[in-house]
Amino acid sequence: MGFLGWILVGLIAGAIAKAIMGDQMGIIATIVVGILGGLLGGWLGSVIFGTGTGTFFELRTWICAIAGTCILLGILGIFSRGSARAK
């Protein structure tokens, strides 16, 4: 799946990961994190599984995108909690 496909998957995965992680970001931030997380998940899936992650309709594509977005949300949560404590 190409770059544009991962962007589309990332948009949807961002909304799903936001629901899973219970994050309170706005819609624009969710879209951006979803796209970046989808790309991260696609890259990690390619590295871990040694092949492409498949097409838009394959389960492993969605698992990689949602996992990548959850990882990214977790990392952002760590940094945002750290900056809130510093104030």
Side-chain angles (χ1 to χ4, degrees):
M1 185 165 57
F3 185 76
L4 292 177
W6 274 110
I7 289 175
L8 181 59
V9 169
L11 291 172
I12 299 167
I16 293 170
K18 181 179 175 179
I20 291 171
M21 300 290 286
D23 197 47
Q24 299 298 320
M25 292 188 307
I27 188 70
I28 301 298
T30 300
I31 290 170
V32 170
V33 170
I35 291 169
L36 294 175
L39 292 171
L40 172 67
W43 177 76
L44 286 174
S46 296
V47 169
I48 292 170
F49 300 124
T51 62
T53 51
T55 64
F56 186 82
F57 297 105
E58 289 186 28
L59 182 60
R60 66 182 171 170
T61 299
W62 289 97
I63 290 172
C64 287
I66 293 169
T69 305
C70 286
I71 290 168
L72 192 56
L73 282 173
I75 292 169
L76 289 174
I78 290 169
F79 285 113
S80 67
R81 281 191 285 273
S83 65
R85 277 189 240 151
K87 291 183 178 180

